[in-house]
């Protein structure tokens, strides 16, 4: 159980990496550190690590979330009860850790629906408290990585990833292989030598990796089995390592509702082994660090070594001497068709006609891919066209958080977040417990009231009276009921 907030963990990650501009002098994870850490592992810990690396645990889970009907440890009948418990645990977490989550509840309820919540429960083996904490961390980290203009959009190439299809095709730094390993786990392949942070930002790379992992999470079987990382390290130089990326990659991987089973770095150079890798291990969380493996030698020797970890030659990319030829352009094409078909279905349009239009538009990819992505995004919300920059240090995180707080309290104008997470939390609590008074719901949501000497009413820190807050709460609850009723009638008419 964590004793510090996830915001503090993100801040600490930046501080931990603050000296990495000069990787030769920065803090590293030494051989003695590794020896000391291994000595702290129990036999049970070592068995789990070995099982993850060799694929023995693939597919093992005490919980299942069916695509058709979510289930919990006690079966479908317990879903409402478990969700209610999860919402209760979420309401007990500090407001600073749940602001992003409650904004998501207000702005994109489909992204925090029951099925999505059950995925977090599945990841934490049914532990309601851990699932609530992970879900809060997920949204806080998603806000940090994607920014307030993209965070609450659907995780699609036309939504949160608008404009990034071209970068993913051209860079091909992170790719999802079209096959699983021999244990049935997804494989994320990284070509570190293709990095060029002078041409694109760390934030864009994190977004691309996040998106790939979200596509894996969509598949129940892959989600339950987890995934492995496979990296080509032979051309990795000092310019290919970023202190911001290495500081954030660990917390990003830990907040997503899917488990990394192991990471494999192939053909590491001496520079990588003795300079870059110790820096990476210093920053990585312990759970990830103890599951990292280096594979040395010739192409054949590396392939033999990988085969011991469920990665035979036919499931290894050609860049590493394997038999798998990757086509990122085709992968993006397939994703656009899939996402467009889903959007068309939700809008009661013809998926066949929409797919046909997408296929015609993509015929001259990669340029057309970006155009299709932009045209699809026009159906959702506008996003920040110049959100990317060539640095992503802690001051950027702080400014994003500050803007988030200002807009969350209604202090900012323009587009973006316009809801107060305290009110959203009060609404959820009041809807869950009709007997709760309006005042108690507001206080539990995070409002603090004091007596106003000038008028016969109480006011909060923003100068809004208790009566006004109560009226707003009632109005919002009525509006949500009306909206749910309209959605139910619309779904019944289909």
């Amino acid at each position: 159980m964590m004793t510090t907030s996830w915001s503090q963990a993100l801040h600490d990650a930046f501080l931990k990496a603050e000296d990495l501009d000069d990787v030769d002098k920065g803090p590293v994870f030494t051989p003695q550190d590794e020896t000391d850490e291994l000595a702290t592992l129990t036999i049970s810990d070592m068995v789990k690590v070995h099982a993850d690396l060799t694929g023995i645990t693939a597919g093992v889970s005490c919980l299942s979330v069916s695509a058709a009907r979510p289930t919990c440890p006690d079966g479908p009948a317990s879903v409402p009860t478990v969700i209610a418990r999860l919402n209760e645990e979420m309401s007990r977490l500090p407001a600073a850790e749940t602001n992003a989550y409650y904004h998501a509840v207000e702005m994109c309820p489909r992204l925090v629906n029951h099925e999505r919540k059950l995925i977090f429960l599945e990841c934490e083996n049914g532990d309601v408290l851990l699932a609530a904490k992970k879900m809060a961390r997920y949204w806080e980290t998603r806000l940090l990585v994607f920014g307030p203009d993209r965070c609450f959009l659907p995780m699609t190439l036309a939504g949160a990833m608008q404009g990034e299809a071209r970068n993913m095709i051209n860079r091909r730094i992170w790719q999802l292989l079209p096959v699983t390993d021999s244990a049935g786990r997804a494989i994320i392949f990284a070509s570190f030598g293709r990095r060029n942070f002078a041409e694109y930002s760390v934030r864009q790379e994190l977004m691309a990796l996040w998106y790939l992992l979200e596509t894996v999470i969509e598949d129940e079987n892959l989600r339950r089995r987890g995934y492995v990382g496979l990296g080509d390290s032979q051309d990795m130089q000092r310019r290919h390592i970023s202190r911001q990326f290495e500081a954030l990659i660990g917390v990003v991987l830990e907040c997503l509702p899917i488990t990394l089973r192991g990471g494999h770095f192939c053909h590491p150079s001496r520079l990588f082994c003795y300079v870059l890798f110790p820096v990476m291990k210093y920053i990585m969380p312990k759970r990830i660090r103890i599951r990292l493996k280096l594979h040395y030698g010739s192409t054949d020797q590396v392939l033999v070594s990988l085969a011991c970890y469920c990665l035979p030659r036919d499931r290894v990319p050609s860049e590493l001497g394997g038999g798998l030829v990757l086509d990122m352009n085709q992968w993006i094409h397939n994703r656009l068709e899939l996402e467009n078909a889903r959007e068309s279905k939700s809008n009661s349009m013809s998926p066949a006609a929409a797919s046909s239009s997408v296929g015609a538009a993509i015929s001259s990819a990669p340029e057309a891919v970006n155009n299709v992505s932009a045209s699809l995004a026009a159906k959702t919300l506008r996003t920040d066209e110049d959100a990317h920059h060539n640095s992503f240090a802690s001051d950027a995180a702080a400014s994003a958080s500050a803007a988030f707080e200002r807009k969350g309290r209604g202090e900012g104008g323009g587009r973006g977040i316009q809801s107060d997470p305290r009110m959203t939390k009060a609404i959820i609590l009041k809807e869950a417990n009709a007997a709760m008074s309006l005042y108690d719901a507001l206080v539990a949501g995070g409002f603090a009231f004091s007596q106003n000497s000038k008028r016969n009413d109480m006011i909060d820190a923003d100068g809004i009276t208790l009566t006004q807050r109560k009226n707003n709460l009632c109005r919002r609850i009525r509006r949500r009921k009306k909206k749910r009723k309209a959605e139910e009638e619309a779904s019944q008419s289909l």
Side-chain angles (χ1 to χ4, degrees), residues 414-484:
R415 54 190 171 87
I417 305 165
Q418 300 294 336
S419 61
D420 191 325
R422 298 172 298 174
M423 182 59 72
T424 303
K425 187 175 181 180
I427 292 170
I428 293 174
L429 293 173
K430 178 61 178 173
E431 289 181 335
N433 183 5
M436 177 180 283
S437 69
L438 295 174
Y439 174 79
D440 289 340
L442 289 168
V443 172
F447 291 99
F449 297 95
S450 59
Q451 190 63 44
N452 183 5
S453 57
K454 295 184 179 181
R455 59 173 69 179
N456 189 25
D457 201 350
M458 301 180 75
I459 61 172
D460 62 17
D462 299 322
I464 307 299
T465 67
L466 174 59
T467 299
Q468 289 174 307
R469 291 295 189 190
K470 286 181 177 180
N471 291 339
N472 188 25
L473 177 57
C474 291
R475 183 168 57 251
R476 296 278 294 279
I477 291 175
R478 288 196 301 270
R479 189 185 306 162
R480 283 165 63 94
K481 289 180 178 179
K482 184 177 180 180
K483 182 179 179 181
R484 282 196 295 267

Side-chain angles (χ1 to χ4, degrees), residues 63-66 68-83 114 118:
L63 195 62
S64 172
V65 180
S66 170
R69 186 177 185 185
T71 59
C72 289
D74 301 327
S78 66
V79 169
T81 302
V82 173
I83 294 299
H114 287 188
L118 288 171

Side-chain angles (χ1 to χ4, degrees), residues 286-305:
K286 176 181 176 181
R287 190 199 167 279
I288 296 177
R289 183 168 56 235
I290 60 179
R291 287 169 170 78
L292 301 180
K293 290 289 182 182
L294 298 181
H295 300 270
Y296 307 91
S298 65
T299 297
D300 287 338
Q301 289 173 323
V302 167
L303 290 173
V304 169
S305 178

Side-chain angles (χ1 to χ4, degrees), residues 8-21 25-29 33 37 242-244 246-248 250-251 278-286 289 394:
Q8 185 63 43
L10 291 174
H11 176 69
D12 291 345
F14 277 114
L15 291 182
K16 205 173 186 182
E18 63 182 354
D19 297 324
L20 291 185
D21 280 336
K25 299 179 181 179
V28 298
F29 196 75
D33 292 332
E37 183 171 76
S242 161
R243 67 175 185 176
Q244 292 88 4
E246 304 305 334
L248 281 176
V251 291
V279 171
M280 294 170 62
K281 290 173 68 177
Y282 172 80
I283 301 173
M284 287 289 179
K286 176 181 176 181
R289 183 168 56 235
S394 54

Side-chain angles (χ1 to χ4, degrees), residues 134-155:
K134 194 177 193 74
M135 193 157 56
R137 295 166 189 163
Y138 169 89
W139 281 105
E140 190 171 354
T141 310
R142 179 163 164 164
L143 175 65
L144 176 66
V145 173
F146 286 85
D149 289 317
R150 292 176 179 261
C151 175
F152 305 103
L153 297 178
M155 189 56 65

Side-chain angles (χ1 to χ4, degrees), residues 163-199:
E164 292 303 312
R166 182 197 296 271
N167 281 325
M168 294 180 71
I169 291 173
N170 292 342
R171 305 301 176 191
R172 304 191 313 281
I173 300 170
W174 298 93
Q175 299 183 73
L176 174 63
L177 300 196
V179 299
T180 65
D181 69 358
S182 56
R185 303 173 298 189
I187 306 171
I188 299 291
F189 177 60
S191 299
F192 299 112
R194 292 183 176 141
R195 277 177 169 169
N196 187 345
F197 290 117
E199 296 183 0

